[in-house]
Amino acid sequence: MKSIQAKSNGFKSVLASVVDLDGSSYRQPGVRMLILENGAMVGAVSGGCVEKEVILQAQSVFETGISKMMTYDGRYRLGCEGVLYILLEEITFETPFETAFFECLKNRKSFEVISKYEKEEGIFEGVGTEVKIGNTPFSISNKTSLNVKCLTFSQTMPPCFKLLIIGAEHDAVQLCKYAASTGWEVTIVAGVSEAKTVDYFEGANNLITTTPEDLDTLSIDIHTAVVLMTHNFAYDLRYLVALAETSPNYIGLLGPTKRREDLLSQLIEYCPEISEKFLESIHGPAGLDIGSETPQEIAISIVSEILAVTRNRNPKSLNQKTGRIHQKQ
């Protein structure tokens, strides 16, 4: 979306995509970075060491509009024991792509990113990226030919992970801030008498004022986490009843274990047909045991647990892990 904004402001943009890797690296294939003609940068392809070289290499793409490959050998500079293969291409999509893309985001549908590349530096026929939305492919760069044989990196992009925070107190502000910095789409659900606006919640995409019974649950899917932070037992119970027919990835409850057990007991009384899968998605007290005390620390704990659940990880210190840090693509 940043490239669309840049285009409307008269700036070109170059997309840098890590499409292959020999050895190990701080980031894995599939990470991307957008360089704008005005010098701005969105995202990163490393921990910070590679970006200067990427920006330097992108200048020729700004000038010519021709896609190219670059390599970065971290074995001599980063100590990561890996070689990155990075595709650089000027983004040149048209209005039909913009329309389809925003419709895809709105409907929370997946799309596929397919990059053609070579594992050496230089300019090659056929390198570039297509975005496939539904059954329609859209070229987003000046790819010279679709018929040239190149290596292929394909990545399915799920809908943006969404966090639904039900509650509008100070701890909700902190959770919203940390979740947004993680890149999640955050929606705040507040009571109808709540006077706060969305501006009160740093990073929030929108704020909804509603009752539990009127909550719109249609967009809650497996790419959604919900955290109940009303600090009111009756409200939490009513919201759980409202969510009972949905399938979120994670539901977090505040408060001690006894409060969770009381909530679940009453929930089952109200909804005797409730599924085991829904009950298993409920985590309370929400968060990982990292010694959190302040609202900020608790927010980090909750975000960490959501990440662990979403990525099917059993959290432990990395110094206790043997083998690869990242799961192999």
Side-chain angles (χ1 to χ4, degrees), residues 237 259-271:
L237 178 59
R259 185 177 188 272
R260 178 199 67 202
E261 296 303 324
D262 290 343
L263 275 169
L264 293 183
S265 176
Q266 293 198 33
L267 174 64
I268 292 170
E269 284 188 30
Y270 279 101
C271 306

Side-chain angles (χ1 to χ4, degrees), residues 29-324:
V31 297
R32 295 176 178 84
M33 166 182 164
L34 189 70
I35 305 107
L36 305 184
E37 196 175 21
N38 64 357
M41 185 179 81
V42 181
V45 294
S46 76
C49 304
V50 184
E51 281 66 25
K52 288 182 181 179
E53 182 67 21
V54 171
I55 292 171
L56 182 64
Q57 294 273 356
Q59 298 314 304
S60 66
V61 182
F62 278 122
E63 293 168 6
T64 66
I66 300 174
S67 303
K68 73 175 188 180
M69 291 296 304
M70 66 167 283
T71 63
Y72 192 93
D73 193 336
R75 293 174 296 181
Y76 304 108
R77 291 179 275 190
L78 302 180
C80 289
E81 301 182 357
V83 179
L84 293 172
Y85 299 91
I86 303 171
L87 170 63
L88 300 173
E89 54 194 325
E90 182 185 352
I91 296 182
T92 58
F93 49 75
E94 302 295 337
T95 301
F97 167 75
E98 294 183 34
T99 303
F101 182 67
F102 282 116
E103 189 69 18
C104 180
L105 295 183
K106 178 183 176 183
N107 294 327
R108 294 186 60 76
K109 300 294 185 181
S110 299
F111 59 91
E112 192 174 7
V113 181
I114 305 165
S115 295
K116 300 288 187 177
Y117 70 98
E118 296 289 349
K119 286 185 72 172
E120 55 183 306
E121 290 190 350
I123 296 171
F124 304 93
E125 267 201 81
V127 300
T129 297
E130 284 184 344
V131 174
K132 190 174 181 181
I133 301 175
N135 294 319
T136 306
F138 297 91
S139 179
I140 65 168
S141 63
N142 292 318
K143 195 158 45 172
T144 53
S145 173
L146 294 174
N147 300 317
V148 176
K149 287 187 177 180
C150 297
L151 297 170
T152 300
F153 175 77
S154 181
Q155 186 178 28
T156 298
M157 307 297 290
C160 181
F161 194 82
K162 181 169 68 175
L163 176 62
L164 195 67
I165 300 175
I166 301 178
E169 301 302 330
H170 177 65
D171 52 358
V173 174
Q174 299 304 319
L175 180 57
C176 177
K177 176 181 175 181
Y178 284 100
S181 69
T182 305
W184 298 346
E185 178 185 307
V186 184
T187 294
I188 306 295
V189 177
V192 292
S193 61
E194 183 59 64
K196 298 184 181 76
T197 67
V198 69
D199 295 331
Y200 183 76
F201 300 89
E202 183 180 342
N205 294 82
N206 61 337
L207 181 145
I208 300 167
T209 55
T210 185
T211 64
E213 292 71 27
D214 292 327
L215 178 67
D216 183 0
T217 61
L218 290 178
S219 65
I220 296 176
D221 53 28
I222 60 170
H223 304 290
T224 304
V226 181
V227 180
L228 291 167
M229 309 183 79
T230 68
H231 297 280
N232 181 297
F233 185 93
Y235 270 107
D236 280 0
L237 178 59
R238 288 166 62 191
Y239 274 113
L240 282 173
V241 171
L243 293 167
E245 298 298 321
T246 66
S247 301
N249 181 271
Y250 172 100
I251 299 175
L253 305 176
L254 298 187
T257 302
K258 185 179 184 307
R259 185 177 188 272
R260 178 199 67 202
E261 296 303 324
D262 290 343
L263 275 169
L264 293 183
S265 176
Q266 293 198 33
L267 174 64
I268 292 170
E269 284 188 30
Y270 279 101
C271 306
E273 303 290 320
I274 198 163
S275 70
E276 284 293 326
K277 183 178 179 181
F278 181 85
L279 294 175
E280 288 172 359
S281 72
I282 297 175
H283 298 257
L288 297 181
D289 183 6
I290 56 174
S292 302
E293 295 184 1
T294 67
Q296 292 83 356
E297 292 171 348
I298 292 170
I300 293 171
S301 168
I302 294 173
V303 168
S304 299
E305 183 176 47
I306 294 172
L307 279 172
V309 169
T310 302
R311 296 177 184 175
N312 195 28
R313 294 298 184 96
N314 182 23
K316 62 181 177 181
S317 177
L318 287 176
N319 69 7
Q320 297 176 5
K321 183 173 182 178
T322 58
R324 299 175 63 94

